[in-house]
Amino acid sequence: MTPSEIAATLAELFGEADVKVIAPGSWQVETSTFRLLVLLSDDESWLRLLIPIVPAQQAQPFLEQFLEANFDDTQQVRYALQQGVVWGVFQHSCNSLVVEDFRDAIARLISLHAAGLDDVFNRLVESRIRQVIIAAKLQGQSLESTMQNLERFYAEGLMGDENQTSQAREETLAAWRRQLERLWPEVDVNG
């Protein structure tokens, strides 16, 4: 892609009012929900797209999940850490980049931004639920006995918020049950 093709595609996707040239070979797309940076290398051979996701301090508990997402889920874009911010990043050689791939990368980056911490938080929660299942299975517990233990822990105040209403506790336990039922058959402690 050439700089003129990049500029034309950005204008087509976002409208000229939201696209600003911040330096030769550098654009910024500013909308009400995100800021996307489009940067060419000095020799215009490489393109980099960047979108801030969250401050690094907020992301700290989820760094493992961000890296797992890079391996499993993010496709052509990646999470990266720079200047105290977790960014969504896409890098590509300009010679082989086509407009469709450029558009797809932008859409993926906007999707990462929209998800924020939700996807990595859900990944962390699922890993913790899997740990509960492993512990329960190693102790010879069934799904039902594991659920009964969780209900007892909530009733005794060992888990949950002490100010939690009975309705909120029931909703939480229902969420536990759904996740345990979904993940129980997948967790194999013998392999």
Side-chain angles (χ1 to χ4, degrees):
M1 287 187 76
T2 65
S4 60
E5 289 174 311
I6 293 167
T9 304
L10 291 172
E12 181 183 318
L13 288 172
F14 301 105
E16 293 196 23
D18 289 337
V19 179
K20 305 283 187 260
V21 176
I22 53 178
S26 300
W27 299 264
Q28 178 173 290
V29 177
E30 189 91 37
T31 73
S32 61
T33 56
F34 65 85
R35 179 173 48 107
L36 174 72
L37 298 172
V38 180
L39 309 171
L40 287 176
S41 62
D42 289 339
D43 65 359
E44 297 183 351
S45 64
W46 277 88
L47 171 81
R48 179 181 289 173
L49 304 174
L50 301 157
I51 194 166
I53 307 293
V54 294
Q57 190 172 12
Q58 281 182 281
Q60 191 67 40
F62 308 105
L63 291 180
E64 182 178 336
Q65 287 72 35
F66 277 115
L67 292 174
E68 287 174 355
N70 276 351
F71 191 82
D72 292 332
D73 301 328
T74 59
Q75 298 173 3
Q76 76 271 40
V77 299
R78 295 284 177 261
Y79 288 108
L81 184 62
Q82 180 67 12
Q83 297 176 339
V85 175
V86 172
W87 298 82
V89 179
F90 171 80
Q91 297 183 115
H92 205 287
S93 168
C94 291
N95 288 342
S96 59
L97 184 62
V98 296
V99 173
E100 178 142 344
D101 291 340
F102 180 64
R103 288 172 178 267
D104 288 347
I106 290 171
R108 290 287 303 151
L109 289 172
I110 293 170
S111 175
L112 290 183
H113 177 270
L117 291 175
D118 290 349
D119 290 347
V120 292
F121 176 78
N122 291 337
R123 186 182 281 268
L124 176 63
V125 167
E126 184 171 308
S127 75
R128 298 291 159 80
I129 293 171
R130 287 177 184 276
Q131 289 173 351
V132 168
I133 294 170
I134 289 169
K137 285 185 172 186
L138 287 173
Q139 293 175 14
Q141 294 180 14
S142 66
L143 172 60
E144 278 311 310
S145 62
T146 302
M147 205 53 225
Q148 288 169 356
N149 282 336
L150 288 170
E151 289 168 359
R152 183 174 51 86
F153 292 158
Y154 275 91
E156 294 175 359
L158 297 172
M159 291 180 73
D161 182 1
E162 60 187 44
N163 298 322
Q164 192 174 35
T165 66
S166 61
Q167 179 183 350
R169 184 172 57 240
E170 291 305 315
E171 289 172 2
T172 300
L173 288 168
W176 267 105
R177 178 170 293 285
R178 283 190 305 275
Q179 294 301 322
L180 288 172
E181 288 174 346
R182 180 177 69 85
L183 295 171
W184 194 272
E186 295 177 15
V187 176
D188 180 13
V189 295
N190 299 319

